[in-house]
């Protein structure tokens, strides 16, 4: 079943309205709602006194309309009485400032009393709703993430280090603490990397702290997972709402492990977006990453419906965008779409975070759009749900490297996220399905693997990559890979470190261009029609076993190798010594494809996205026109469009923002 829902806050509206809401939802094809993830103060109005009656009544109203429920545990919003009871439970930020009460996410995730209260409310909810067949799942907390530097967190960090390193001698050795006289003789001396230091903290301490904070949320989540699992039947799934590819502070592969389902919050036109044109590739990368965390279909638990903001408003979602973005999620493997939020709230911080309905409860353009999609989903949903995306290309996402680059970006223009997005975009433009893989993944089944800037490189990854290439795979490795070991210390090898033998190159020297500077490249290999320029980083290479594909054509390293190709076993490794501009990245990806038989699903103009979902050998082709103009696309087979029910032959004509889901006739 394909779930089609809304995030609903019945507690924000008079009970007399609930029936109208439920009816309008049903008429729009809504079959699931998420409830209660911020309702702690109503669910537990006083310490230890629980009140589920109002929620029961809301659920009953929805149940009569065949609407299923996902319940959120409310630990993101502590009620005032709890804050008063444990005033030292505040999260302390990197400037050393404790959060004041008055918004949400004020808590320190290491605070033992806070944890106990969070588990207690989760447990009470579970006891009340485990037997309720309307409830199909649980969301734990809401968008985990901020790092905490409170005294209790510091103590927890010290204990975490003790477990990890065993002795201070080992820790001192691994971190290189003799630098600037940091040799620790007592665990209690070890700081957390608050900003109030003269320069920077030791990068090894800093990375360990980032890893630790990521694990703190995994652990905090686990406490609630355990409480729910103990009480609830296995049919009720447990999830958390992630923040997509863009969120850098938690190792999402770890966070996903003990969950049944990954869900995430997708806001393509949030207040932070400064352009009218919303590029489809970064949104798609969010979906791809979320699908890849557990290598299974996912949900969008908050899909933008109206314009989103707190203080100043960005442009309203354009006609067609709501359905387009929701279908895009489905196209990449979503089996559930939940729109944020049902009705725009009249009070509180999110007064201007627009939902499907307006403040006055009327359903206008956005409601009509959702309703139309609901009707389409009612027809096509069962054919789509459970079908899978299949990819032959993978991009490696290393949270260790991402954390380490956050500490030391290497070049002012370098962004790990952007670098990875550039590679993804090149594949996306060619309509090639992609998975995101973790550094410890075995790479069976892929034909092309891209390893962008794997700054922290572990031997296990090198082994997997080597096996992959020896068996015929094509690998792209880019600059700043293999630079650091696990403890964030620069390796004692010629770069790219552990990857040097596989890449067949040695880095002789490197240059870090000034912001915005580019260097011309000369593409010297007959088989490589390269384009674009070097940018952000320039490794000056010396091939050992590789051959040169491109040289620098400028600066003191003009004539020196920039890009190489190494043959290993039945496969090849392309090493790019530069991040390069977008054109360069496209041509590297294009060149890599020449070594594989990875096919585009369909050649389309820019802004027309194509994906496929499979069930056995049955394929559904999703065609999404993100453009504001009509596009015509040539097709070979005859299809039926599941959304319109119309047959399509020879030429597809897609109106602006139109989506088709094609099945071969
Ligand atoms: C996030 C949160 C929601 C809401 C929206 C809009 O994704 O999970 O509770 O705040 O953003 O701001």
């Amino acid at each position: 079943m394909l779930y089609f829902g809304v995030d609903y806050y019945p507690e924000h509206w008079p009970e007399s309205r609930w029936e109208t809401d439920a009816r309008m939802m049903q008429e729009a094809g809504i079959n699931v709602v998420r409830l209660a993830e911020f309702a702690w103060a109503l669910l537990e109005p006083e310490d230890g006194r629980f009140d589920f009656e109002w929620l029961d009544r809301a659920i009953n109203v929805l149940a009569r309309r065949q609407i299923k429920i996902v319940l959120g545990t409310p630990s993101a919003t502590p009620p005032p009485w709890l804050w008063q009871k444990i005033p030292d439970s505040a999260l302390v930020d990197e400037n050393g400032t404790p959060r004041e009460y008055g918004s949400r996410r004020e808590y320190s995730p290491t605070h033992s009393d806070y944890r106990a209260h969070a588990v207690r409310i989760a447990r009470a909810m579970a006891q009340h709703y485990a037997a309720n067949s309307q409830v199909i799942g649980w969301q734990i907390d809401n968008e985990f993430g901020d790092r905490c530097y409170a005294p209790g967190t510091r103590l927890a960090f010290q204990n975490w280090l003790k477990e990890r390193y065993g002795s201070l001698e080992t820790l001192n050795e691994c971190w290189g603490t003799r630098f600037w006289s940091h040799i620790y003789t007592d665990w209690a001396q070890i700081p957390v990397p608050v900003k109030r230091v003269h320069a920077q903290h030791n990068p090894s301490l800093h990375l360990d702290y980032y890893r630790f904070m990521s694990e703190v949320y995994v652990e905090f989540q686990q406490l609630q997972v355990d409480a729910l699992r103990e009480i609830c039947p296995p049919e009720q799934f447990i999830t958390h709402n992630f923040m997509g590819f863009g969120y850098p502070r938690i190792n999402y592969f770890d966070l996903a492990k003990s969950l049944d389902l990954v869900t995430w919050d997708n806001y393509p036109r949030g207040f932070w977006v400064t352009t009218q044109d919303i590029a489809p590739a970064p949104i798609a990368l969010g979906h791809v990453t979320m699908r890849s965390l557990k290598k299974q279909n996912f949900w969008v638990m908050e899909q933008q419906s109206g314009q989103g903001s707190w203080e100043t408003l960005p442009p309203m979602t354009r006609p067609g965008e709501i359905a387009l973005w929701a279908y895009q999620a489905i196209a990449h493997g979503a089996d559930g779409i939940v729109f944020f939020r049902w009705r725009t709230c009249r009070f509180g911080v999110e007064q201007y975070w627009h939902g499907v309905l307006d403040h006055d409860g009327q359903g206008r353009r956005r409601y009509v759009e959702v309703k139309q999609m609901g009707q389409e989903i009612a027809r096509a949903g069962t054919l789509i749900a459970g079908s899978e995306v299949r990819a032959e290309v993978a991009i490696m996402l290393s949270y260790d490297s991402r954390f380490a680059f956050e500490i030391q970006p290497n070049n002012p223009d370098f962004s790990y996220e952007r670098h990875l997005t550039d590679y993804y975009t090149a594949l996306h433009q060619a309509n090639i399905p992609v998975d995101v893989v973790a550094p410890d993944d075995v790479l069976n089944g892929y034909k092309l693997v891209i390893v962008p800037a794997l700054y922290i490189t572990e031997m296990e990854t090198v082994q997997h990559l080597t096996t992959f290439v020896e068996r015929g795979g094509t690998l792209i490795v880019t600059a700043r890979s293999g630079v650091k070991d696990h403890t964030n210390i620069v390796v004692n090898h010629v770069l790219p470190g552990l990857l040097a033998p596989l890449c067949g190159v040695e880095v002789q020297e490197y240059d870090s261009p000034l912001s915005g500077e580019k260097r011309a490249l000369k593409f010297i290999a007959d088989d490589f029609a390269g384009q674009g320029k070097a940018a952000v980083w320039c490794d000056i290479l010396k091939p050992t076993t590789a051959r040169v594909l491109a040289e620098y054509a400028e600066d003191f390293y003009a004539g020196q190798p920039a890009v190489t190709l190494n043959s290993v076993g039945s496969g090849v490794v392309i090493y790019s010594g530069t991040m390069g501009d977008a054109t360069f990245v496209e041509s590297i990806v294009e060149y890599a494809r020449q070594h594989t038989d990875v096919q585009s699903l369909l050649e389309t103009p820019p802004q027309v996205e194509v994906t496929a979902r499979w069930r056995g050998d049955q394929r559904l082709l999703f065609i999404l026109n993100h453009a504001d103009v009509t596009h015509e696309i040539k097709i070979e087979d005859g299809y039926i469009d599941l959304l319109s029910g119309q047959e399509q032959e020879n030429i597809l004509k897609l109106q602006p923002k139109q989506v088709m889901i094609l099945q071969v006739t």
Side-chain angles (χ1 to χ4, degrees):
M1 168 162 181
L2 213 141
Y3 283 98
F4 190 66
V6 288
D7 297 299
Y8 183 41
Y9 301 90
E11 68 275 24
H12 293 174
W13 308 101
E15 207 163 322
S16 54
R17 166 75 194 200
W18 294 357
E19 187 53 48
T20 308
D21 282 336
R23 176 182 50 76
M24 287 176 77
M25 286 179 198
Q26 191 184 35
E27 285 168 6
I30 298 299
N31 56 26
V32 67
V33 297
R34 182 193 61 180
L35 298 176
E37 82 280 10
F38 299 125
W40 197 340
L42 290 165
L43 295 169
E44 191 181 1
E46 285 169 48
D47 196 355
R49 181 170 72 78
F50 300 102
D51 176 9
F52 297 113
E53 277 180 23
W54 66 273
L55 190 54
D56 290 346
R57 291 198 299 278
I59 291 176
N60 287 341
V61 170
L62 294 158
R64 284 198 291 276
R65 300 279 175 179
Q66 285 78 51
I67 296 171
K68 298 287 184 192
I69 311 294
V70 176
L71 285 175
T73 69
S75 45
T77 47
W81 62 255
L82 179 57
W83 210 247
Q84 196 172 32
K85 183 179 173 190
I86 43 172
D88 66 341
S89 63
L91 180 140
V92 174
D93 71 16
E94 60 186 343
N95 298 310
T97 312
R99 283 207 176 141
E100 291 292 347
Y101 187 77
S103 180
R104 63 176 170 183
R105 311 213 56 74
E106 293 98 343
Y107 69 89
S108 166
T110 60
H111 194 281
S112 54
D113 290 341
Y114 192 85
R115 286 178 166 205
H117 278 279
V119 170
R120 189 176 71 173
I121 180 72
R123 186 176 277 280
M125 288 176 80
Q127 271 152 355
H128 193 83
Y129 290 108
N132 187 327
S133 61
Q134 254 344 86
V135 176
I136 58 164
W138 296 86
Q139 173 189 300
I140 292 174
D141 201 283
N142 190 80
E143 296 187 340
F144 285 128
D146 302 326
R147 293 182 180 130
C148 175
Y149 300 76
T153 303
R154 178 175 170 180
L155 187 64
F157 178 49
Q158 291 160 347
N159 288 333
W160 183 87
L161 291 169
K162 215 182 283 180
E163 248 182 51
R164 184 164 269 237
Y165 290 97
S167 74
L168 282 167
E169 290 70 40
T170 309
L171 175 139
N172 282 316
E173 197 48 41
C174 289
W175 285 6
T177 54
R178 61 193 57 213
F179 187 80
W180 284 355
S181 236
H182 292 168
I183 300 167
Y184 297 107
T185 54
D186 184 344
W187 296 98
Q189 297 160 354
I190 300 173
V192 284
V194 282
K195 278 201 168 154
R196 294 168 301 158
V197 286
H198 164 65
Q200 298 293 330
H201 284 272
N202 178 321
S204 301
L205 174 147
H206 216 140
L207 176 59
D208 268 344
Y209 166 76
Y210 282 3
R211 286 181 177 132
F212 156 78
M213 270 315 303
S214 175
E215 285 184 24
V216 162
Y217 281 106
V218 174
E219 188 184 80
F220 182 68
Q221 175 179 264
Q222 191 63 42
L223 296 172
Q224 297 195 41
V225 169
D226 291 345
L228 296 178
R229 286 227 196 282
E230 197 190 311
I231 301 164
C232 300
E235 302 80 70
Q236 293 182 343
F237 65 75
I238 302 179
T239 187
H240 169 72
N241 54 336
F242 292 63
M243 288 182 271
F245 169 75
Y247 194 72
R249 292 187 181 165
I250 295 182
N251 183 330
Y252 272 174
F253 289 108
D254 291 347
L255 194 67
K257 269 191 195 118
S258 71
L259 299 174
D260 300 305
L261 172 73
V262 167
T263 67
W264 80 287
D265 299 346
N266 181 28
Y267 293 95
R269 206 183 265 291
F271 61 84
W272 54 89
V273 178
T274 53
T275 54
Q276 276 291 0
D277 293 332
I278 307 294
I283 314 174
L285 179 54
H287 297 308
V288 166
T289 309
M290 297 300 102
R291 189 190 67 235
S292 298
L293 295 178
K294 292 190 78 70
K295 301 187 193 347
Q296 71 183 37
N297 290 355
F298 61 97
W299 284 27
V300 177
M301 194 58 99
E302 295 179 17
Q303 173 60 53
Q304 179 165 11
S305 56
Q307 70 203 128
S309 187
W310 291 305
E311 292 91 23
T312 53
L313 305 185
M316 181 50 91
T317 39
R318 292 0 227 170
E321 281 183 341
I322 301 176
L324 174 73
W325 292 332
Y327 277 122
Q328 186 187 20
I330 294 172
H332 285 279
D335 275 347
I337 298 290
V338 182
F339 291 104
F340 187 87
R341 49 187 285 150
W342 171 240
R343 178 170 169 186
T344 315
C345 197
R346 293 179 45 233
F347 43 74
V349 172
E350 298 201 334
Q351 288 172 14
Y352 293 119
W353 207 288
H354 291 74
V356 177
L357 306 190
D358 288 310
H359 290 107
D360 60 6
Q362 299 291 311
R364 300 189 173 87
R365 177 177 65 84
R366 300 192 302 282
Y367 177 70
V368 173
E369 205 172 298
V370 167
K371 192 171 174 179
Q372 187 189 327
M373 183 171 176
Q375 285 159 0
E376 292 165 355
I377 291 293
R379 283 201 305 274
T382 40
L383 269 171
I384 302 167
S387 61
E388 58 178 24
V389 175
R390 293 178 189 163
E392 295 174 330
V393 180
I395 300 183
M396 188 170 286
L397 167 60
S398 156
Y399 280 95
D400 270 354
S401 297
R402 193 173 188 174
F403 294 162
F405 278 127
E406 189 182 338
I407 299 160
Q408 296 172 304
N410 284 243
N411 177 282
D413 283 351
F414 181 67
S415 146
Y416 182 71
E417 287 76 25
R418 205 175 325 121
H419 185 44
L420 214 141
T421 304
D422 282 349
Y423 272 91
Y424 176 73
T425 302
L427 291 154
H428 180 267
Q429 275 166 3
N431 295 319
I432 294 172
V434 176
D435 283 344
V436 167
V437 290
D440 59 357
D441 274 343
V442 177
L443 302 164
N444 292 341
Y446 296 112
K447 293 180 174 166
L448 170 62
V449 171
I450 301 174
V451 175
L454 188 69
Y455 197 42
I456 307 264
T457 300
E458 311 275 355
M459 201 49 188
E460 186 192 4
T461 311
V462 178
Q463 281 158 356
H464 290 162
L465 292 172
T466 306
T467 307
F468 165 73
V469 178
E470 280 170 349
R471 291 183 184 161
T474 298
L475 174 67
I476 302 175
V477 175
T478 75
R480 304 315 281 154
S481 293
V483 175
K484 299 274 194 124
D485 72 9
H486 184 80
T487 55
N488 208 10
I489 280 184
V490 177
V491 295
N492 196 14
H493 303 287
V494 60
L495 297 185
L498 296 177
L499 287 160
L502 182 60
C503 297
V505 284
E506 293 182 350
V507 177
Q508 292 298 290
E509 215 181 329
Y510 44 68
D511 191 21
S512 175
L514 291 172
S515 182
E517 275 186 355
K518 292 188 181 182
R519 305 276 183 273
L521 289 164
K522 191 169 163 204
F523 298 91
I524 61 167
D526 292 342
D527 60 340
F528 183 25
Q531 284 182 36
K533 291 190 164 188
V536 181
W537 196 263
C538 299
D539 278 341
I540 301 158
L541 304 177
K542 185 175 117 198
T544 48
T545 54
R547 71 178 165 94
V548 180
L549 298 176
E551 306 172 338
Y552 296 102
E554 273 185 86
D555 215 316
F556 73 90
Y557 37 95
Q560 301 288 320
V563 185
T564 57
L565 179 83
N566 196 33
S567 296
V568 178
S570 330
V572 292
V573 185
I574 297 161
Y575 183 87
S576 173
T578 181
M579 306 310 167
D581 58 19
T583 313
F584 170 81
V585 170
E586 270 168 44
S587 67
I588 290 281
V589 168
E590 191 54 44
Y591 176 71
R593 278 182 60 201
Q594 289 175 31
H595 293 269
T596 72
D597 58 358
V598 171
Q599 301 292 323
S600 163
L601 288 168
L602 193 67
E603 305 274 336
T604 58
Q607 301 273 83
V608 178
E609 181 180 17
V610 181
T611 74
R613 287 182 65 158
W614 296 81
R615 195 188 313 274
D617 55 7
Q618 287 288 314
R619 186 181 76 163
L620 294 177
L621 213 50
F622 290 71
I623 323 269
L624 305 108
N625 183 10
H626 293 264
D628 286 327
V629 294
T630 302
H631 275 300
E632 296 196 351
I633 294 153
K634 264 188 73 183
I635 46 167
E636 311 228 308
D637 302 311
Y639 292 96
I640 179 140
D641 171 20
L642 298 183
L643 299 185
S644 63
Q646 284 171 5
E647 302 215 351
Q648 303 288 336
E649 263 175 31
N650 305 322
I651 302 275
L652 298 176
K653 192 168 178 195
L654 286 124
Q655 303 299 325
K657 312 289 183 215
Q658 191 182 345
V659 178
M660 291 186 185
I661 305 178
L662 302 180
Q663 192 180 34
V664 176
T665 46

